Amino acid sequence: MANSKSSSDLKKSSVSPPERREELLAIAAQVFAAQGYNATTVRKIADAAGMLAGSLYYHFDSKESMLDEILSGFLDELWARYDAVLSAGLGPRETLEALVTESFREIDRHLAAVAIYQRESKHLVTQPHFAYLVESQQKFEKAWLGTLQRGVSAKVFRADLDVRLTYRFVRDTVWVAASWYRPGGRHSPEEIARQYLSMMLEGIALHDS
């Protein structure tokens, strides 16, 4: 019949543009994370989405714009949660604990975006379109260093603590978890954060009572 719709047309019409856009971004993030940004083509993303490459341009003008939305969306949510922690008036230890916990929650929510960020940000920061990554990195460092220094000043953390070395240790220890973490696994983000914090703050050796 002339007015009948194909199954693909019905599928397309049943999904609103915003929902379809988010679906395509999630697929693109998985492809970028698995293959790397430079090795990923629009055709590869389209293939993974089960559509023609030309159809993808209906939603996005380039793979760069897709990457931009993936990373900026992840960072916007991360900073909304970090800023809430930093403005909550918590003590330095509680602030550190909350930042670590929120970090693991973001790894759970945006695993592919975190993997892309870790893999690609070093060269992306040299491109004008991704200049905001530099500002985010500077803000990130300031938040963590400030929390650690506040803890030293308040005598909550050791006086001999090298805050910059500690910051690098905590940062790398937490975010490298994206290389092995799998959503829906044995441990929740909160449980993993609790274990990490226990090791960071209390150590793993038994102490004499």
Side-chain angles (χ1 to χ4, degrees):
M1 295 174 61
N3 292 328
S4 65
K5 291 184 178 182
S6 68
S7 60
S8 61
D9 288 333
L10 288 170
K11 182 178 180 181
K12 183 182 295 185
S13 64
S14 68
V15 181
S16 67
E19 292 172 338
R20 180 58 171 162
R21 191 179 183 87
E22 289 302 312
E23 179 186 356
L24 292 173
L25 284 174
I27 292 170
Q30 293 292 338
V31 179
F32 285 140
Q35 301 187 18
Y37 176 68
N38 289 333
T40 297
T41 63
V42 171
R43 180 177 295 277
K44 288 181 179 179
I45 298 172
D47 287 346
M51 63 195 302
L52 297 174
S55 299
L56 196 59
Y57 287 108
Y58 173 79
H59 302 275
F60 306 95
D61 58 14
S62 66
K63 72 170 188 175
E64 181 183 62
S65 68
M66 298 185 79
L67 181 64
D68 178 28
E69 287 199 41
I70 291 166
L71 292 179
S72 61
F74 155 59
L75 290 173
D76 285 347
E77 182 174 313
L78 176 68
W79 279 109
R81 296 176 182 279
Y82 270 18
D83 286 341
V85 169
L86 295 169
S87 62
L90 302 173
R93 176 169 177 147
E94 291 75 21
T95 299
L96 179 66
E97 291 172 342
L99 289 175
V100 169
T101 301
E102 290 300 340
S103 297
F104 278 109
R105 287 172 176 162
E106 288 305 293
I107 291 173
D108 180 67
R109 295 185 189 101
H110 300 285
L111 182 61
V114 174
I116 295 166
Y117 182 88
Q118 291 181 327
R119 181 173 182 174
E120 310 288 353
S121 62
K122 186 174 182 179
H123 75 265
L124 287 176
V125 295
T126 64
Q127 302 178 25
H129 195 75
F130 293 95
Y132 63 86
L133 295 178
V134 177
E135 180 182 352
S136 182
Q137 289 172 353
Q138 293 172 342
K139 185 179 178 182
F140 186 90
E141 182 174 312
K142 181 179 179 181
W144 286 84
L145 286 176
T147 300
L148 291 168
Q149 186 58 62
R150 190 159 60 94
V152 172
S153 299
K155 298 183 179 179
V156 174
F157 303 143
R158 293 192 340 239
D160 64 341
L161 195 70
D162 184 320
V163 294
R164 185 164 293 276
L165 182 61
T166 304
Y167 155 69
R168 290 172 177 166
F169 169 76
V170 174
R171 177 197 64 192
D172 294 347
T173 301
V174 169
W175 290 100
V176 77
S179 66
W180 57 261
Y181 178 78
R182 294 296 176 268
R186 178 180 176 185
H187 300 292
S188 70
E190 292 78 12
E191 290 170 342
I192 296 173
R194 182 176 58 80
Q195 287 288 333
Y196 268 56
L197 286 163
S198 176
M199 288 184 284
M200 281 191 284
L201 296 172
E202 310 297 342
I204 62 174
L206 288 172
H207 300 281
D208 295 333
S209 57

